[in-house]
Amino acid sequence: MTIRLRPVSEKDLSLLHRLTSDPEGGGEFEWYGFQNPHAMRKRWAEDGLLGDDHSMLIIADGDDPVGFVSFRKRVANRASHYWEMGLIVAPEQRGKGHGTQAQRLLARYLFEHSTANRVEASTEITNVAEQRALEKAGFTREGVLRGAGFRAGEWRDGVLYSMLRSDLGPSSD
């Protein structure tokens, strides 16, 4: 398995739509309702889904797209920012370690290409597989976010994870 992150190509847009707007594609923890099927294509045409404050990259196993990572710049204070990240791996690709490796690669990428000292990620408290993936990727569990996310008609607790620049060891990917 050779996981890499790469920019989104036009042929990836159908996969992104499937993972973000299809109840089967996103899975139990990522289904938030149908979305405008043209919005992502429009944004891709404008900036390739690579903005200064919000971007998406494809998770690829060799040449095959298996999911995506996204990241947003968040202001910490007047002098600094951090990154908030997330990902969705296609249902048929889950359980193979793609998410763990992609999260580690993305954290390294963000630290190498920005001055941010912190990358954070959160997941629902019942998403144990994602919590394990984050921990394997080197993220530290910080705590429970009570009633932080609304999905499927109810408010749900989340778990916050972070990685600091000093947490990421030498590159071995």
Side-chain angles (χ1 to χ4, degrees):
M1 168 175 69
T2 306
I3 294 298
R4 65 187 177 92
L5 303 178
R6 63 166 174 76
V8 175
S9 71
E10 186 171 14
K11 67 183 179 184
D12 298 320
L13 294 175
S14 61
L15 173 67
L16 293 180
H17 181 71
R18 178 179 155 235
L19 296 179
T20 59
S21 191
D22 178 344
E24 302 291 320
E28 174 186 1
F29 298 104
E30 296 296 335
W31 172 238
Y32 297 101
F34 295 108
Q35 296 182 34
N36 178 342
H38 306 292
M40 198 169 302
R41 178 172 291 283
K42 181 180 176 186
R43 172 137 186 256
W44 179 83
E46 291 171 0
D47 69 4
L49 299 172
L50 293 171
D52 290 337
D53 297 331
H54 179 222
S55 297
M56 296 176 87
L57 297 170
I58 290 294
I59 304 167
D61 184 355
D63 292 330
D64 299 323
V66 298
F68 73 90
V69 293
S70 64
F71 48 102
R72 285 184 187 275
K73 185 183 284 186
R74 298 294 191 197
V75 175
N77 58 43
R78 289 181 3 179
S80 64
H81 71 276
Y82 63 93
W83 295 103
E84 178 181 68
M85 61 172 271
L87 82 154
I88 301 178
V89 174
E92 63 276 8
Q93 298 293 333
R94 293 181 186 146
K96 299 178 181 180
H98 298 325
T100 298
Q101 195 168 353
Q103 289 170 122
R104 189 178 305 120
L105 286 170
L106 181 58
R108 184 173 302 284
Y109 172 83
L110 294 171
F111 289 138
E112 289 176 356
H113 297 283
S114 77
T115 59
N117 189 50
R118 175 185 175 86
V119 176
E120 69 178 40
S122 61
T123 188
E124 282 188 25
I125 201 161
T126 54
N127 191 346
V128 176
E130 174 60 4
Q131 291 174 53
R132 276 195 299 261
L134 284 163
E135 290 167 4
K136 284 182 187 176
F139 283 75
T140 299
R141 182 181 172 127
E142 292 190 336
V144 174
L145 303 167
R146 298 181 324 134
F150 187 82
R151 183 183 59 78
E154 54 186 85
W155 286 97
R156 298 164 187 273
D157 292 347
V159 183
L160 181 64
Y161 284 83
S162 71
M163 180 184 291
L164 301 181
R165 186 178 288 272
S166 60
D167 295 337
L168 194 61
S171 178
S172 62
D173 297 320

